């Protein structure tokens, strides 16, 4: 009799576990896809902490998808005032009260590769696993481990809102699982109603000082027909550059991490040869000579310094 | 700094200083040399107890020369001293602020080295020298990346100067805009830019 009760209990318990597993698994890959969609199409408002190395800062964010365009506004809550406004592909930074900084617009995205399906982390280079449910910003979150299979890229931990898929917390992991960068919401409203004025800077137009940063700074003395090729790219990274686009600025992504390669003219204020690391972001500066002309190669991205260095050293000139 | 003062500092750190030693240190409280030594001893203690300081000021040449007596002892046989000498040759410099930003440069191992760094003095100073060099090595172990012919590239940790921050920010912003269309969380690249010291462009 007792044995029967135990067996029955065990059977019922296993049914309960399977049911719970069915509710929470949907597959780690499906959660990644859900995360991407939530990041783009959700309307939300909140504050979060962002830590890199031993620096941390708190920010406020409001985000929406409006008339086919993603819009978001980041406001720094620590230190000097600073805001970033993004509308589609346009990014504007507000520095202080009157200075606006904008990047030069450029068509760099490959429309084919812009679909989400192209950007699933490649299983050949990452192992994606669910690691259970945890509580983040007072919400149930699915914990996902994205483990890099080689030393050419970082690993990640992601906590996704179980209800919406929105990223609530993330960590970029370096050696020995040391967190290089942590992002975590401390308050969140999702979904939420947003107002148009939340996506515009409230400034006196007459006092605005606008500065534009070029995408790159090529040298007019460069030979015509000169282009640049990145001879070595870590496996799994694909080019994001649109065909026919300027070849002195290149972007690569493996679905999770990305890096940009800039080839420019030498400037007096160039950074010294070598890598600089700001949290999980590596910037590698290198000089390149081609036919008695000097060029500057800069690799920027969320990749290890070794990887960035190999990419920079592999840049070579290609004549049409 | 005389040995008696150094021993007083050490005693104070161990909570074993007597009234006379405390008075001696207080009378020199405005001495930069004393403050530097106090800070250095705390870092030694932290490293030895496993609490590695991620903001280690890499200015070994100045700090060692200021805090120890130079002796004629040749320590070329010491691997730790060789490493310290190598680091001194590379001109590691202390930089205030931007503690979490590091610069790593490839260094050709076949380059000339300066004269041996010599050290001597009391046991505490020697310990400081070895531990500083070792901790720097542990935190910044040169790594062979690529071998080409007889050349060998290694990575060395330096620091980004404060006046380079705006240039760094510029590249971060450029990369952020370009990468935001490809990443799962499109906000993250911009968050990285915003976090760098009030944008600073």
């Amino acid at each position: 009799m007792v044995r029967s009760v135990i067996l029955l209990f065990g059977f019922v318990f296993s049914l309960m576990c399977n049911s719970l597993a069915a509710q929470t698994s949907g597959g780690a890959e499906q959660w990644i896809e859900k995360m991407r969609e939530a990041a783009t199409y959700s309307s939300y408002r909140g504050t979060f902490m962002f830590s890199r190395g031993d620096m941390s800062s708190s920010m406020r964010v409001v985000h929406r998808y409006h008339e086919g365009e993603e819009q978001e506004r980041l406001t720094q809550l620590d230190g000097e005032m600073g805001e970033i406004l993004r509308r589609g592909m346009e990014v504007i930074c507000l520095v202080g009260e009157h200075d606006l900084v904008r990047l030069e617009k450029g068509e760099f995205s490959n429309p084919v590769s812009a679909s989400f399906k192209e950007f699933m982390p490649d299983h050949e280079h990452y192992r994606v696993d669910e690691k259970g449910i945890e509580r983040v910003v007072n919400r149930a979150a699915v914990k996902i481990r994205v483990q890099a299979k080689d030393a050419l890229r970082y690993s990640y931990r992601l906590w996704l809102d179980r209800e919406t898929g929105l990223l609530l917390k993330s960590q970029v992991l370096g050696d020995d699982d040391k967190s290089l960068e942590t992002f975590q919401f401390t308050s969140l409203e999702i979904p939420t109603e947003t107002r148009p004025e939340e996506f515009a800077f409230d400034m006196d137009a007459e006092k605005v000082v606008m500065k534009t940063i070029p995408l790159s700074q090529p040298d007019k003395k460069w030979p015509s027909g000169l282009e640049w090729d990145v001879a070595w790219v870590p496996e799994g990274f694909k080019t994001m550059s649109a065909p026919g686009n300027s070849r002195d600025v290149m972007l690569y992504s493996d679905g999770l991490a990305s890096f940009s390669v800039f080839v420019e003219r030498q400037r007096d204020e160039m950074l010294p040869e070598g890598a600089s690391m700001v949290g999980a972001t590596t910037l590698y500066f290198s000089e390149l000579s081609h036919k008695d002309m000097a060029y500057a190669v800069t690799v920027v991205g969320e990749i290890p310094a070794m990887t960035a260095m190999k990419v920079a050293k592999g840049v070579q000139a290609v004549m049409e | 700094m005389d040995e008696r003062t150094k021993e007083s500092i050490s005693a104070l750190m161990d909570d074993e200083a007597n009234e006379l030693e405390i008075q001696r240190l207080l009378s020199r409280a405005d001495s930069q040399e004393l403050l530097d030594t106090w800070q250095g001893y705390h870092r030694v203690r932290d490293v030895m107890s496993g609490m590695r300081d991620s903001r280690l000021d890499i200015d070994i040449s100045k700090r060692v020369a200021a805090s120890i007596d130079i002796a004629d002892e040749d320590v070329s046989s010491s691997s730790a001293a060789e490493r310290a000498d190598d680091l001194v040759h590379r001109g590691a410099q202390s930089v205030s602020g931007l503690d979490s930003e590091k610069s790593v440069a490839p260094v050709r191992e076949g380059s000339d080295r300066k004269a041996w760094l010599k050290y001597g003095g009391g046991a505490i100073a020697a310990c400081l020298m070895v531990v500083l060099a070792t901790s720097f090595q542990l935190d910044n172990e040169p790594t062979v990346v690529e071998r080409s012919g007889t050349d060998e590239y290694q990575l060395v940790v330096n620091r980004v100067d404060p006046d380079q921050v705006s240039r760094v920010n510029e590249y971060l912003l450029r990369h952020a805009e370009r990468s935001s269309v490809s990443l799962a969380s499109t906000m993250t690249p911009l968050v990285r830019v915003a976090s760098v010291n009030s944008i600073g462009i």
Side-chain angles (χ1 to χ4, degrees):
Chain A
M1 177 63 179
V2 171
R3 186 166 179 270
S4 299
V5 170
I6 293 174
L7 285 175
L8 178 63
F9 178 78
F11 178 67
V12 171
F13 183 73
S14 67
L15 283 179
M16 292 172 62
C17 288
N18 286 336
S19 174
L20 182 62
Q23 290 175 19
T24 55
S25 76
E29 292 181 22
Q30 293 179 16
W31 279 110
I32 298 288
E33 189 170 344
K34 194 174 181 181
M35 174 179 70
R36 297 183 194 283
E37 294 184 5
T40 300
Y41 299 111
S42 298
S43 293
Y44 57 86
R45 182 185 293 105
T47 57
F48 61 88
M49 288 293 297
F50 183 69
S51 304
R52 53 196 337 183
D54 59 356
M55 293 195 303
S56 64
S57 55
S58 59
M59 298 181 212
R60 183 173 59 232
V61 61
V62 59
H63 176 279
R64 70 175 181 177
Y65 190 81
H66 180 69
E67 295 181 351
E69 179 180 83
E70 194 180 350
Q71 299 177 353
E72 64 192 345
R73 181 174 176 177
L74 293 171
T75 304
Q76 190 143 339
L77 300 178
D78 302 323
E80 291 190 32
M81 182 59 180
E83 292 191 278
I84 295 181
L85 181 64
R86 186 168 78 91
R87 289 194 288 246
M89 305 274 272
E90 183 179 35
V91 176
I92 304 174
C93 300
L94 174 63
V95 184
E97 295 183 4
H98 306 297
D99 295 337
L100 289 181
V101 180
R102 178 165 55 193
L103 278 183
E104 190 178 74
K105 270 190 160 184
E107 295 299 324
F108 59 85
S109 289
N110 185 332
V112 175
S113 60
S115 67
F116 289 141
K117 291 183 180 178
E118 294 285 333
F119 287 135
M120 289 300 296
D122 192 338
H123 274 211
E124 186 176 342
H125 305 288
Y126 292 103
R127 187 177 65 247
V128 185
D129 299 305
E130 282 187 55
K131 295 294 186 181
I133 303 292
E134 293 184 6
R135 182 167 167 264
V136 178
V137 70
N138 204 31
R139 302 176 72 94
V142 179
K143 184 177 179 180
I144 305 288
R145 171 86 183 194
V146 184
Q147 180 66 45
K149 292 185 179 179
D150 56 39
L152 299 175
R153 68 209 79 221
Y154 292 129
S155 299
Y156 302 80
R157 286 197 200 105
L158 310 172
W159 287 260
L160 311 182
D161 183 47
R162 190 168 64 172
E163 185 179 333
T164 63
L166 185 70
L167 183 68
L168 301 180
K169 178 180 175 181
S170 70
Q171 289 179 330
V172 181
L173 306 173
D175 296 337
D176 299 327
D177 268 9
K178 177 184 175 183
S179 177
L180 300 174
E181 180 184 282
T182 300
F183 160 88
Q184 180 169 357
F185 272 103
T186 54
S187 71
L188 179 65
E189 304 169 27
I190 180 171
T192 189
E193 293 293 324
T194 58
R195 303 180 302 277
E197 54 268 29
E198 290 185 280
F199 300 95
F201 292 134
D202 182 21
M203 304 172 64
D204 184 346
E206 293 183 359
K207 295 181 180 178
V208 168
V209 176
M210 177 67 78
K211 175 182 175 182
T212 300
I213 297 177
L215 283 175
S216 67
Q217 297 200 23
D219 196 324
K220 294 178 181 178
K221 297 192 296 282
W222 287 5
S224 61
L226 176 65
E227 292 188 349
W228 301 98
D229 179 51
V230 181
W232 184 87
V233 177
E235 283 188 36
F237 280 83
K238 301 175 184 177
T239 181
M240 291 285 294
S241 303
N245 190 30
S246 169
R247 294 301 302 273
D248 51 278
V249 188
M250 293 151 277
L251 176 67
Y252 296 85
S253 176
D254 69 353
L256 213 54
S258 68
F259 64 87
S260 300
V261 181
F262 303 92
V263 184
E264 302 169 288
R265 62 179 171 82
Q266 288 274 13
R267 288 185 269 174
D268 292 339
E269 65 277 18
M270 291 306 295
L271 292 157
E273 174 101 12
S276 301
M277 297 161 71
V278 184
T281 304
T282 297
L283 303 91
Y284 192 91
F285 308 96
S286 180
E287 294 181 5
L288 174 66
S289 294
H290 175 69
K291 293 187 176 179
D292 298 326
M293 292 200 72
Y295 307 90
V297 177
T298 307
V299 177
V300 186
E302 289 67 55
I303 51 178
M306 303 294 185
T307 306
M309 187 172 92
K310 293 184 75 174
V311 170
K313 295 301 182 184
V315 174
Q316 56 193 20
V318 177
M319 296 295 294
E320 283 186 328
Chain B
M1 184 181 297
D2 58 83
E3 285 302 319
R4 194 166 59 175
T5 303
K6 292 178 188 176
E7 289 172 6
S8 296
I9 293 175
S10 181
L12 182 62
M13 285 178 60
D14 295 334
D15 202 24
E16 295 175 355
N18 58 36
E19 186 69 24
L20 184 61
E21 287 175 315
I22 294 174
Q23 290 295 334
R24 181 185 301 120
L25 292 176
L26 288 175
S27 67
R28 300 183 60 187
D30 58 349
S31 163
Q32 187 59 45
E33 187 181 16
L34 185 144
L35 294 175
D36 288 346
T37 304
W38 171 263
Q39 187 179 22
Y41 282 9
H42 272 82
R43 284 188 170 154
V44 169
R45 183 175 66 178
D46 288 347
V47 170
M48 293 178 73
S49 64
M51 293 170 56
R52 198 173 303 163
D53 185 352
S54 64
R55 294 173 295 175
L56 193 66
D57 287 339
I58 307 172
D59 189 11
I60 296 177
S61 60
K62 283 185 180 179
R63 288 180 177 274
V64 172
S67 63
I68 65 173
D69 296 322
I70 304 297
D72 290 332
E73 184 177 348
D74 187 345
V75 296
S76 60
S77 60
S78 163
S79 60
E82 284 182 2
R83 185 70 67 190
D85 171 47
D86 193 34
L87 296 170
V88 170
H89 170 67
R90 286 172 182 163
Q93 297 175 356
S94 63
V95 176
S96 59
L98 301 175
D99 292 325
S100 70
E101 296 190 21
K102 302 178 183 177
S103 181
V104 179
V107 175
R108 292 180 181 272
E109 195 170 29
S111 58
D112 294 332
R113 298 175 185 271
K114 283 187 176 178
W116 300 114
L117 178 70
K118 301 177 182 177
Y119 69 86
I124 293 176
C127 183
L128 171 67
M129 169 68 179
V130 172
V131 172
L132 275 179
T134 304
S135 63
F136 183 84
Q137 177 182 350
L138 288 174
D139 283 338
N140 308 286
E141 181 72 28
T143 305
V144 174
V145 177
E146 177 182 357
R147 188 181 296 273
S148 173
T150 58
D151 293 332
E152 190 170 327
Y153 289 95
Q154 295 183 338
L155 295 175
V156 176
V157 177
N158 293 316
R159 298 279 181 179
V160 175
D161 291 335
D163 58 6
Q164 296 169 343
V165 172
S166 65
R167 293 284 292 118
V168 171
N169 288 354
E170 186 179 312
Y171 281 110
L172 291 176
L173 184 59
R174 289 172 170 182
H175 172 62
E177 194 212 42
R178 304 176 68 74
S179 64
S180 63
V181 295
S182 68
L183 294 188
S185 172
T186 57
M187 179 173 60
T188 307
L190 300 181
V191 171
R192 293 186 178 117
V193 175
S195 76
V196 184
N197 203 21
S198 71
I199 304 176
I201 296 175

